[in-house]
Amino acid sequence: MSHQLLTIEVTRLDGGHIRLRLSGELDYDTAPELVTAVAELPGEGHQQLTIDLTGVSLCDSSGLSALLMAHRAAGSVRLTGVSAQVQQMLDRTGLTELLAVQTSAADGDNLRAIG
């Protein structure tokens, strides 16, 4: 069984927003990478952290834990690109109440990357 690595792309957006675009597997082996990436974000008081899960092929309980730790570290997290499997896990664990989940891709089109 081959293991797909996690890739995290960080983009600064208008209004102090930061987007992390994940691709690969968010699991026991890779979840610490997300926690580290969030911890290393500049402490400029970003108002919103968006985590785009569109490219995530697998998310287990360790991945959910990493999302929760990201929420605690950043203060405000919005998830986009949530698959049906991840949405079901968020619902079953009650994390939907804590993490904002964007259901429409069009909602995120308002955010522009800045240089």
Side-chain angles (χ1 to χ4, degrees):
M1 185 165 112
S2 71
H3 187 271
Q4 187 177 1
L5 299 176
L6 180 69
T7 302
I8 303 172
E9 175 188 323
V10 180
T11 306
R12 294 169 161 271
L13 305 166
D14 285 344
H17 288 63
I18 295 177
R19 178 179 56 219
L20 301 181
R21 184 170 286 155
L22 280 52
S23 56
E25 296 180 354
L26 184 56
D27 60 10
Y28 179 81
D29 293 321
T30 62
E33 295 174 38
L34 175 58
V35 174
T36 299
V38 171
E40 291 175 350
L41 291 175
E44 301 172 357
H46 51 276
Q47 301 166 2
Q48 176 78 36
L49 174 63
T50 299
I51 301 177
D52 182 354
L53 301 173
T54 303
V56 172
S57 58
L58 173 106
C59 180
D60 68 6
S61 60
S62 296
L64 289 183
S65 178
L67 293 172
L68 183 58
M69 292 172 74
H71 168 74
R72 288 182 181 155
S76 177
V77 171
R78 177 175 53 174
L79 303 178
T80 63
V82 176
S83 70
Q85 178 252 350
V86 173
Q87 183 65 56
Q88 185 178 39
M89 290 175 64
L90 291 169
D91 291 341
R92 286 186 176 177
T93 59
L95 289 178
T96 306
E97 302 296 321
L98 187 60
L99 303 171
V101 178
Q102 179 178 307
T103 56
S104 169
D107 294 342
D109 292 341
N110 304 350
L111 302 175
R112 292 189 335 246
I114 58 175

